[in-house]
C-alpha cells in the first residue's frame, strides 16, 4: 500500500453482531488493494469492539476508531477526519460490497473529475444472504439533480463514494438531520458539484427489520427540513439549520415554506406515523398520526377524513374500540368542517374568486387542448388568475401543458415569474417521481415472466403523451389474475417491497418499497373495486386479455373505465381518453374495442367518456369511435346528467364535493342490462 492510499472506506458500527464479519471480508477482499479501512465503533456494548480489534490485528489496513457513542453522523464524520485518501467510500455494517466495487468507482472518478459523489445499483438480500431484487438509480446527472431537489433520493447511500475534501468543505454529515443525514449531505453537494451513478451493481443490501420502520416519522421530518433548507440556500438566503439538536416540529418556523408545503408536511408525517405503527404495533405512533392529520385538516388538506378512517381501523385492530369510534366521529367532523371552510368569506370576495376560478379554468381547457388552437381563453389574465390556474393545473395533472401554453409563462412575463417558478418546481417534483416509478415498472415487468399480470395506467398513459414529463403519475398499478396473486406477492417481496395495506373485498393491495416509501405499487384483481358494480362492469385480467385485443385497445378501455369510476373529476381523465383514442388507428382496433367493452360491461362508460372527451376537445377520433359503439339504454340519461358544457363551466366537484349528477352517473354504472338488450354485457 502506498503512503497515501487511493481510497478510504469508512464503516460506522454500533452493536453490529454476527453480520459484521462478511461485511469486513468484502472490503478486505476487494480487487482494488490500495485502500485503508477506517472502522468507527460508536460505543458498542455487545462485544463488537473486541471483534473489530481482532480483525485489526490481522490486517494492517484497518484503522480502528472508538470515541464513545455519538450517533451515526458523528461516527461518519470521525471516519472522514481519520481518512487519508482523496476518495472516501461509505459502507454499512450488514451489507456486502461486490469484489470490484472500489475498482469500478475509482475508475469512474478518474473519468469524471467534475463529479464529487457517485453511487451505483444494489442487489437486495435477506438476512440469510439470499438474493432478492435490485435497486437501480438514474445515471444521468441532470435527472439525478432534478430528483434530488424534488425530494427523492437518487443515490443508494451504502454505495456512495465521494471526494473527501468536497465533503469536508461542507462540514460533513449533520446530526440535526438524523435518519436523513445522507439526503442532506447529497443536497449540499449537489448545490456545488455534479453527482453521478454507475449502472453496475456494487453492493448487496441486506433487508431486515430495523430502525427504518420505527423511526420513519423522524426520517420524514428530517428529509423535508433538509429539502426546505436547500431551497432557501439556492434562493440566496441563509441556511436555517439549527447548530444543535435534531429536527423537531418546534423548528418549523425557521423554514420559509409555502402553505402547500406546510400542509404536505403534516400529511407526510401522518403517513409516516401510520407506517411506523403498522410495522411496530406502537400505539403512540397512532396517536402521532391523529395529531398530524388534525393539523393537516386545519390547514385545508384534502383526504384527511380517509386517513382518520385508516387510523380508526388500526385502533380497532389493536382492540381499542372506544378510541376507534372517537376517531370515526372526528372523520365525520372533518368532512363537515371542510365543507364549511370552503364557504367564501363575504359576497364580494366570493364573486371575485368565482370569476378568477372560472377564467383560470377556461385557460386550463385552452392549455390542455391539442396545442393547435389559435384562439385564446379570453382577455389578458391577471396574476390572481395565474395563481388559480397553477392550483387547478396541479389538481388536474396538467402542469406541463400550462407551463408550455399559458401565454404569460411562454413569454416569461415578469409579474408571472414567481407563479411560473412554482409551477416548474411542482412539475419537476412530479416528473422526478414518475421517472423513478417508470424505472421500477420496467424492472418489475422483466420479473413478471409468464405471470398473468400487467402494468396498467401510469407508464402506459404517459407514453400516449410522448413522455413522462407530459403525463406524470404517483404510483404503479398492476392488474393480476387472482390465481397468480400470491406468486406476484413473492415477486414484489424479492424486489424489496413490503405490504402496507390490504383490502381483499375491493381486490386491492398496496405495497411500498422498503428503502423508499414514495414508491408504491397497487396490486389489483379488478379495476372496479365495488363488488356491487361488478355485476354490470368488471375489468379483470382475464376479461382484458381474452381475445386478440391490442395494447392500444386495452389502454383505451382502461382509460374510459378509470375516468368513469372517478366520475370525471379531473381533466386528465378525459385527456387520457383523448390520447388513447388517438392511438387507435385502424378499424380493426375500433372493432376490438367495441367487442372488449361489451365483454367487460363497459359500453356505458365508453360511450360517456368518449362523448365528453370528444365534445370538450372537439376530438374527431373520439367521435368516430363513439359512432362504432352499440347503443346503451342508459346513455340518454347519462347524456343528460353529464355534458361537455357542464365540464367547460368547471361545474363538477372532486372527492367529497362531487355533485349529485356525478354520483347518480356512478350508480348507473352498477345497473346490469338484461341479455339481448343493446349494450348488454356479453359473457
Amino acid at each position: 500500500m502506498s503512503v497515501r492510499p487511493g481510497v478510504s472506506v469508512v464503516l460506522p458500527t454500533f452493536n453490529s453482531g454476527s453480520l459484521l464479519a462478511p461485511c469486513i471480508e468484502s472490503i478486505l477482499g476487494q480487487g482494488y488493494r490500495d485502500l485503508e479501512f477506517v472502522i468507527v465503533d460508536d460505543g458498542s456494548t455487545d462485544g463488537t469492539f473486541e471483534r473489530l480489534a481482532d480483525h485489526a490485528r490481522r490486517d494492517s489496513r484497518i484503522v480502528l476508531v472508538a470515541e464513545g457513542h455519538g450517533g451515526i453522523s458523528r461516527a461518519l464524520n470521525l471516519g472522514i477526519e481519520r481518512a487519508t485518501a482523496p476518495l472516501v467510500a461509505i459502507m454499512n455494517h450488514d451489507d456486502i460490497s461486490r469484489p470490484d466495487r472500489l475498482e469500478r468507482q475509482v475508475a469512474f472518478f478518474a473519468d469524471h473529475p467534475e463529479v464529487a459523489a457517485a453511487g451505483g445499483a444494489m442487489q437486495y438480500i435477506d438476512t440469510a444472504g439470499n438474493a432478492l431484487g435490485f435497486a437501480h438509480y438514474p445515471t444521468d446527472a441532470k435527472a439525478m439533480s432534478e430528483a434530488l431537489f424534488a425530494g427523492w433520493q437518487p443515490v443508494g447511500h451504502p454505495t456512495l463514494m465521494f471526494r473527501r475534501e468536497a465533503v469536508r468543505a461542507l462540514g460533513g454529515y449533520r446530526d440535526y438531520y438524523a435518519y436523513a443525514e445522507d439526503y442532506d449531505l447529497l443536497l449540499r453537494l449537489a448545490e456545488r458539484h455534479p453527482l453521478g451513478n454507475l449502472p453496475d451493481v456494487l453492493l448487496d443490501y441486506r433487508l431486515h427489520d430495523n430502525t427504518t420502520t420505527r423511526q420513519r416519522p423522524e426520517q420524514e421530518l428530517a428529509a423535508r427540513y433538509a429539502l426546505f433548507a436547500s431551497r432557501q440556500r439556492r434562493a440566496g438566503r441563509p441556511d436555517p439549520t439549527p447548530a444543535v439538536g435534531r429536527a423537531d416540529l418546534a423548528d418549523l418556523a425557521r423554514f420559509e415554506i409555502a402553505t402547500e408545503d406546510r400542509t404536505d408536511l403534516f400529511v407526510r408525517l401522518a403517513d409516516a406515523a401510520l407506517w411506523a405503527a403498522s410495522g411496530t404495533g406502537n400505539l403512540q405512533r397512532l396517536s402521532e398520526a391523529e395529531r398530524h392529520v388534525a393539523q393537516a385538516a386545519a390547514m385545508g388538506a384534502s383526504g384527511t377524513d380517509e386517513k382518520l378512517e385508516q387510523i380508526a381501523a388500526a385502533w380497532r385492530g389493536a382492540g381499542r374500540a372506544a378510541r376507534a369510534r372517537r376517531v370515526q366521529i372526528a372523520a365525520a367532523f372533518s368532512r363537515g368542517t371542510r365543507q364549511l371552510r370552503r364557504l367564501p368569506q363575504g359576497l364580494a370576495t366570493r364573486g371575485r374568486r368565482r370569476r378568477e376560478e372560472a377564467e383560470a379554468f377556461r385557460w386550463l381547457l385552452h392549455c390542455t387542448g391539442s396545442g393547435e388552437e389559435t384562439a385564446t381563453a379570453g382577455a389578458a389574465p391577471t396574476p390572481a388568475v395565474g395563481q388559480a390556474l397553477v392550483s387547478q393545473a396541479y389538481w388536474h395533472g396538467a402542469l406541463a401543458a400550462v407551463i408550455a401554453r399559458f401565454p404569460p409563462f411562454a413569454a416569461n412575463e415578469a409579474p408571472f415569474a414567481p407563479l411560473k417558478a412554482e409551477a416548474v418546481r411542482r412539475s419537476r417534483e412530479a416528473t422526478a417521481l414518475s421517472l423513478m416509478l417508470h424505472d421500477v415498472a420496467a424492472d418489475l415487468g422483466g420479473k413478471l415472466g409468464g405471470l398473468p399480470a400487467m402494468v396498467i395506467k401510469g407508464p402506459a398513459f404517459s407514453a400516449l403523451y410522448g413522455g413522462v414529463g407530459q403525463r406524470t403519475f404517483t404510483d404503479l398499478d398492476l392488474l393480476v389474475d387472482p390465481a397468480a396473486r400470491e406468486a406476484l406477492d413473492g415477486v414484489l417481496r424479492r424486489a424489496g417491497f413490503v405490504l402496507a395495506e390490504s383490502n381483499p373485498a375491493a381486490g386491492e393491495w398496496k405495497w411500498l418499497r422498503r428503502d423508499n416509501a414514495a414508491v408504491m405499487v397497487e396490486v389489483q384483481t379488478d379495476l372496479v373495486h365495488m363488488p356491487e358494480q361488478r355485476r354490470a362492469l368488471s375489468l379483470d385480467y382475464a376479461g382484458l386479455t381474452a381475445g386478440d385485443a391490442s395494447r392500444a385497445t386495452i389502454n383505451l378501455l382502461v382509460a374510459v373505465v378509470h375516468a368513469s369510476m372517478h366520475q370525471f373529476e379531473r381533466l386528465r381523465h378525459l385527456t387520457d381518453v383523448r390520447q388513447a383514442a388517438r392511438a387507435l388507428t385502424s378499424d380493426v382496433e375500433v372493432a376490438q374495442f367495441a367487442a372488449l367493452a361489451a365483454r367487460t360491461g363497459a359500453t356505458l362508460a365508453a360511450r360517456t367518456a368518449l362523448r365528453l372527451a370528444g365534445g370538450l376537445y372537439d376530438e374527431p377520433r373520439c367521435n368516430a369511435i363513439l359512432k362504432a359503439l352499440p347503443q346503451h339504454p342508459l346513455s340518454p340519461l347519462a347524456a343528460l346528467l353529464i355534458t361537455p358544457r357542464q365540464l367547460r363551466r368547471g361545474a363538477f366537484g372532486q372527492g367529497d364535493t362531487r355533485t349529485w349528477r356525478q354520483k347518480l352517473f356512478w350508480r348507473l354504472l352498477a345497473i346490469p342490462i338484461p341479455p339481448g338488450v343493446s349494450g348488454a354485457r356479453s359473457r
Side-chain angles (χ1 to χ4, degrees):
M1 187 175 71
S2 61
V3 175
R4 189 187 187 202
V7 174
S8 296
V9 180
V10 172
L11 168 66
T13 66
F14 178 72
N15 292 344
S16 298
S18 61
L19 298 177
L20 188 58
C23 164
I24 293 176
E25 291 164 5
S26 76
I27 295 298
L28 298 179
Q30 289 286 306
Y32 184 88
R33 308 297 296 174
D34 189 17
L35 64 89
E36 69 173 354
F37 195 3
V38 182
I39 305 178
V40 182
D41 181 66
D42 191 33
S44 297
T45 58
D46 68 342
T48 293
F49 179 80
E50 289 73 18
R51 288 193 290 271
L52 292 173
D54 183 58
H55 281 287
R57 283 191 291 270
R58 288 185 276 118
D59 196 308
S60 61
R61 291 176 296 174
I62 295 179
V63 177
L64 186 56
V65 179
E67 295 190 10
H69 182 65
I72 183 68
S73 296
R74 176 175 175 269
L76 286 165
N77 289 335
L78 283 173
I80 294 169
E81 287 304 311
R82 295 296 180 91
T84 60
L87 295 174
V88 172
I90 298 301
M91 188 67 191
N92 283 353
H93 76 274
D94 52 356
D95 298 335
I96 300 174
S97 283
R98 296 290 177 91
D100 58 352
R101 173 195 170 180
L102 298 184
E103 183 178 4
R104 288 181 180 274
Q105 287 187 284
V106 168
F108 180 87
F109 276 92
D111 292 339
H112 299 84
E114 76 285 0
V115 170
M122 306 185 296
Q123 180 172 32
Y124 295 116
I125 60 175
D126 61 19
T127 54
N130 299 311
L132 302 175
F134 291 89
H136 295 279
Y137 296 90
T139 55
D140 177 72
K142 182 180 179 182
M144 290 180 66
S145 178
E146 289 182 349
L148 189 67
F149 293 136
W152 315 114
Q153 176 73 289
V155 180
H157 186 249
T159 69
L160 186 66
M161 179 181 283
F162 51 75
R163 300 189 190 276
R164 177 172 176 265
E165 290 308 314
V167 170
R168 291 185 73 233
L170 296 174
Y173 293 85
R174 299 196 289 188
D175 190 57
Y176 182 80
Y177 297 103
Y179 307 110
E181 64 282 329
D182 52 339
Y183 179 56
D184 169 62
L185 178 67
L186 289 171
L187 282 168
R188 288 181 289 133
L189 279 171
E191 291 164 17
R192 300 188 183 188
H193 311 280
L195 306 180
N197 267 327
L198 283 73
D200 314 280
V201 176
L202 302 180
L203 178 136
D204 293 338
Y205 179 79
R206 199 177 303 272
L207 295 175
H208 55 80
D209 293 331
N210 55 27
T211 56
T212 301
T213 297
R214 294 194 301 272
Q215 306 299 336
R216 180 63 63 86
E218 288 79 7
Q219 183 184 53
E220 187 68 53
L221 180 63
R224 301 311 292 179
Y225 275 8
L227 179 62
F228 299 155
S230 175
R231 289 176 183 168
Q232 287 182 228
R233 292 191 298 269
R234 284 181 283 132
R237 297 191 293 274
D239 191 325
T241 304
V244 296
R246 288 186 172 180
D248 190 286
L249 274 175
D251 298 331
L252 182 57
R254 300 178 66 98
F255 299 89
E256 301 172 10
I257 57 176
T259 301
E260 293 88 347
D261 287 323
R262 190 180 297 264
T263 305
D264 178 66
L265 172 64
F266 284 103
V267 172
R268 288 173 177 270
L269 290 177
D271 288 337
L274 273 170
W275 172 271
S278 64
T280 64
N282 186 338
L283 299 185
Q284 289 184 346
R285 291 301 195 187
L286 273 183
S287 297
E288 285 181 31
E290 277 189 58
R291 292 196 298 272
H292 295 321
V293 170
Q295 186 68 40
M299 301 176 72
S302 61
T304 53
D305 47 322
E306 289 87 351
K307 293 190 185 301
L308 287 173
E309 292 288 355
Q310 295 176 23
I311 295 170
W315 281 120
R316 281 194 298 272
R320 304 284 292 274
R323 184 69 174 266
R325 285 194 296 271
R326 192 180 81 183
V327 174
Q328 283 185 306
I329 293 172
F333 181 75
S334 173
R335 284 189 289 269
T337 54
R338 188 162 59 254
Q339 297 289 345
L340 291 174
R341 192 181 299 114
R342 287 171 178 159
L343 292 175
Q345 301 298 313
L347 293 177
T349 300
R350 179 174 62 186
R352 186 183 70 250
R353 288 180 179 174
R354 282 181 174 176
R355 289 191 296 274
E356 292 169 352
E357 292 285 342
E359 185 179 347
F361 194 75
R362 288 194 294 272
W363 279 109
L364 185 63
L365 288 172
H366 171 77
C367 294
T368 55
S370 67
E372 300 170 356
E373 303 92 334
T374 56
T376 65
T382 64
V385 170
Q387 179 67 63
L389 175 61
V390 170
S391 296
Q392 291 181 11
Y394 180 73
W395 164 254
H396 288 282
L399 279 172
V402 167
I403 292 168
R405 299 175 187 165
F406 185 46
F409 287 177
N412 292 315
E413 294 181 15
F416 292 83
L419 294 176
K420 182 178 181 180
E422 174 66 12
V424 169
R425 181 185 68 78
R426 289 188 179 189
S427 180
R428 285 177 175 171
E429 289 182 356
T431 300
L433 176 58
S434 298
L435 288 170
M436 187 185 308
L437 290 169
H438 190 277
D439 291 343
V440 173
D443 184 55
L444 288 176
K447 291 180 171 65
L448 292 179
L451 284 180
M454 68 171 75
V455 178
I456 56 172
K457 292 192 289 193
F461 287 169
S462 71
L464 298 173
Y465 291 74
V468 169
Q470 300 303 310
R471 203 287 191 186
T472 58
F473 46 98
T474 58
D475 56 28
L476 296 176
D477 292 272
L478 281 174
L479 184 66
V480 61
D481 189 280
R485 192 181 64 79
E486 290 188 6
L488 179 59
D489 290 353
V491 171
L492 290 170
R493 288 192 177 95
R494 289 190 293 275
F497 286 84
V498 294
L499 184 63
E501 187 176 324
S502 175
N503 190 346
E508 184 179 38
W509 295 263
K510 296 181 180 180
W511 295 74
L512 298 177
R513 202 160 80 177
R514 188 184 295 268
D515 68 332
N516 188 349
V519 178
M520 182 170 73
V521 173
E522 293 191 24
V523 174
Q524 302 170 70
T525 53
D526 198 312
L527 295 188
V528 180
H529 294 166
M530 301 301 292
E532 61 269 24
Q533 285 187 316
R534 293 186 196 139
R535 295 176 302 160
L537 169 62
S538 175
L539 258 67
D540 56 15
Y541 183 86
L544 280 179
T545 57
D548 55 355
S550 67
R551 187 57 196 256
T553 302
I554 292 174
N555 284 343
L556 179 56
L557 191 71
V558 171
V560 298
V561 172
H562 182 64
S564 297
M565 298 306 295
H566 286 272
Q567 302 161 52
F568 312 106
E569 65 180 4
R570 300 190 189 201
L571 283 182
R572 187 168 70 180
H573 296 145
L574 292 174
T575 58
D576 286 345
V577 172
R578 180 192 65 194
Q579 297 301 112
R582 289 175 176 174
L584 255 64
T585 56
S586 69
D587 292 340
V588 172
E589 286 183 315
V590 172
Q592 289 176 349
F593 175 74
L596 189 59
R599 185 166 65 245
T600 57
T603 299
L604 177 61
R607 290 189 62 85
T608 306
L610 287 166
R611 174 176 55 81
L612 291 173
L616 193 64
Y617 291 109
D618 194 22
E619 174 53 49
R621 194 58 183 156
C622 290
N623 298 328
I625 298 172
L626 176 61
K627 291 178 181 178
L629 293 178
Q631 293 296 321
H632 191 284
L634 297 177
S635 286
L637 179 55
L640 290 173
L641 289 173
I642 303 179
T643 69
R645 181 173 179 271
Q646 291 165 341
L647 290 174
R648 289 191 191 97
R649 291 167 47 208
F652 278 6
Q654 303 97 28
D656 296 334
T657 65
R658 288 171 178 156
T659 66
W660 67 268
R661 293 173 179 271
Q662 290 169 282
K663 294 175 182 178
L664 183 54
F665 169 75
W666 188 81
R667 293 187 178 278
L668 293 183
L669 296 173
I671 300 176
I673 303 303
V677 178
S678 176
R681 183 177 180 183
S682 61
R683 304 285 179 172

